[in-house]
Amino acid sequence: MYRNLYRKITAFLLAALLPVCVPVSAKAEEGQEARAVSAWCMDGVLHSFFQMPDAWKDTLPEVSAVLNGTAREKEAQPEAVSAGDTPVSYLLLVDDSTSMPAYRQWVLSFADALLKEERQETRVTVASFGAGFQVLKEDLTSVSGVKSVLSAMKYSQRASDISGGVTEAFSYLASKERESGELSSLILLTDGEPYLTGGDGNDESAVALAAEKAGKAIEETPEVIVHTVGLAEWETSTGEALRAGRGLHRDVRSQSAAAKAGREIAAYTDSLYRIDIPAEWSLGEGRGKAEYTLSFPENSELEEAYGLMILTLPEVGDVKEIAESRRAAEEEGSGAIPIEEAGSGTEAAGETEPEEPAAGEEPEEDSGEEQAQEADGEAGAAPTEETEESSGEAAEMPSGEETSAPGFLPGLAAALIAGAAVAAVIAALVRSQRRGARKGGTPGEDAIAMRLEILEGTCRNPDGTFLLDEPILIGSAPSCGLIIEEPQAAPQNSRIFRKDGLIYIEDLKQESSTFLNGMKIHAPNRLRSGDEIAIGGVRVRFWF
């Protein structure tokens, strides 16, 4: 009698303290917790997914539900997703903007590790976003099929609406037919640098508003688990909003770390438990509140320690009714979401057949064998900072001439007088402006992103991401796009440029000091991704 009274009082107190629309965890022991991560209703059944502490797995709790304030007498026993009866689906949502080519191999390694680690039969849809959301291929079931679609991505979008891409992805998932008991996850892969359309660019208030909308969509969509993989430093408001989802959130800084994140998300999926409870309720015009009561068998070791616990999720909906309302809205709006077949003209820039340059600039025979695009984990280290000098400006400036962005001339003059502290502020402003230009349309539409790898020697602005629209100067002068600290280097020693769709490197000194794959060059030579460039004791590679 006292046990039942205790349970009723505990349940009342816990329910009174539960915040609406916020997941509540039940502590098991230090570092472990029970957590409801996903739930949705279909055909009169409430499908829910939970994280269970290791301490509970030998004596699993019985789970019952309260739906819209009405208790269900039926109790269910959790079943491990890894048992293999749960359909698993992933939506890989990949940033398709011009800042992403440096991470192409990271994305491929992530997908490869995710799907090879996954124990269940899994369906994968690949989608991208830039200025808008686009489905590239649906319901792929093989690792090779997924990697083929990812390999064909252009990464050419001039905008990167990260938050908008997530919001539109939810609309797409709501419109899809769903299998009974399916566990659906959205995985966002991005460098975390938003650039909005419609003139907003990287305006802080506009970016924050978009992030707030996406964060609300995540909170209101418990039928989808959201994971994020940040390939570079996140813009603050966007990162905070999108990493509020009930999945894993990983910041990776190498190709091997990206693969590790893929394995961790697969393991997370397999570690969940599924509960199906009859839920004969009508959604009507919205969602309903779902709370779960966890109770342990009497006389078990856990029964006395933890008693009765309650978890809650944001309001849960009937996915069929939600899908119907989404479809109706789409029919009244702009129509169906486009689906692009993989491999339709999506070759990476720079992989076209070579063409001879104009007379007088014919390059010598390329030295060395063509390098593969894929770098190992160390070679794929993430770009961590934009270069302080614009390569486009460097191409026009003679050695030692000061550079300034339009509108910043008074500030630059003040910086020269005030000294290094103010100069650092100006440099930060220039970096911010370059980040905007990288996606905002100032460079040509066919500009190529190039990632620098330093093999030996010292470079100022190391590990930078360059956008090859204007030539990149290499030398010791401050005006160069890549500044090297090398006694043998001239102020403007070499330059990398484009001609007829191909990329070349040439030495600008009368007596050549530039080596390509170990051979001295005397005229423009074709530069391929991964080729080694040496000037004195400095050795670098560009990946593109």
Side-chain angles (χ1 to χ4, degrees), residues 278-530:
E280 297 161 357
W281 62 328
S282 175
L283 178 64
E285 297 182 354
R287 298 172 179 267
K289 186 177 180 181
E291 294 177 346
Y292 306 91
T293 299
L294 281 66
S295 57
F296 293 89
E298 292 188 11
N299 302 320
S300 72
E301 294 180 4
L302 298 177
E303 194 264 343
E304 289 294 340
Y306 305 114
L308 175 145
M309 300 178 182
I310 295 179
L311 308 177
T312 189
L313 267 174
E315 296 184 340
V316 177
D318 185 303
V319 294
K320 283 190 174 181
E321 294 189 33
I322 294 171
E324 288 173 2
S325 64
R326 294 282 190 186
R327 278 193 290 268
E330 285 177 10
E331 289 175 0
E332 295 177 1
S334 58
I337 299 171
I339 298 177
E340 178 182 325
E341 291 296 328
S344 57
T346 52
E347 288 188 350
E351 295 182 1
T352 57
E353 288 299 315
E355 298 178 17
E356 294 298 324
E361 282 197 331
E362 182 172 350
E364 291 182 349
E365 183 68 19
D366 297 308
S367 57
E369 296 182 1
E370 182 171 355
Q371 300 292 327
Q373 285 272 357
E374 182 171 357
D376 58 22
E378 182 179 352
T384 57
E385 182 178 355
E386 291 296 327
T387 54
E388 294 188 9
E389 304 290 340
S390 167
S391 60
E393 292 172 355
E396 303 298 329
M397 288 289 180
S399 174
E401 186 171 343
E402 297 294 337
T403 62
S404 62
F408 287 90
L409 194 54
L412 183 56
L416 292 174
I417 297 171
V422 178
V425 175
I426 297 297
L429 291 174
V430 173
R431 284 198 299 273
S432 175
Q433 185 187 41
R434 285 201 67 237
R435 281 195 292 269
R438 208 173 68 184
K439 294 175 181 174
T442 299
E445 289 297 320
D446 57 349
I448 296 175
M450 305 177 72
R451 177 172 55 82
L452 173 69
E453 177 194 358
I454 300 174
L455 303 176
E456 186 178 352
T458 303
C459 300
R460 276 183 275 160
N461 57 351
D463 296 325
T465 300
F466 298 83
L467 195 61
L468 184 59
D469 183 57
E470 297 292 334
I472 299 173
L473 286 181
I474 303 174
S476 60
S479 59
C480 288
L482 176 59
I483 306 167
I484 60 176
E485 297 181 2
E486 166 56 47
Q488 297 183 30
Q492 294 184 350
N493 194 95
S494 316
R495 72 165 182 151
I496 297 173
F497 65 97
R498 297 182 65 189
K499 186 174 180 64
D500 298 328
L502 303 179
I503 299 177
Y504 296 93
I505 182 170
E506 69 172 336
D507 194 282
L508 299 177
K509 297 177 62 179
Q510 291 182 348
E511 181 181 349
S512 173
S513 64
T514 304
F515 290 77
L516 181 63
N517 295 324
M519 297 187 66
K520 185 180 289 188
I521 64 172
H522 301 278
N525 268 238
R526 170 84 180 277
L527 182 67
R528 294 181 171 88
S529 181

Side-chain angles (χ1 to χ4, degrees), residues 24 41 79 92 104 129 158 173 177 190 201 203-204 206 256-257 319 343 373 381 387 396 423-424 441 504 517:
V24 175
C41 191
E79 177 183 350
L92 297 186
R104 181 186 297 274
F129 67 89
R158 309 304 302 172
L173 289 172
E177 295 294 334
T190 177
D203 177 74
E204 291 185 5
S256 59
V319 294
Q373 285 272 357
T387 54
E396 303 298 329
Y504 296 93
N517 295 324

Side-chain angles (χ1 to χ4, degrees), residues 53-72:
D54 291 339
W56 296 10
K57 291 178 181 178
D58 292 333
T59 311
L60 289 171
E62 292 179 330
V63 180
S64 57
V66 176
L67 306 176
N68 287 343
T70 303
R72 306 297 306 171

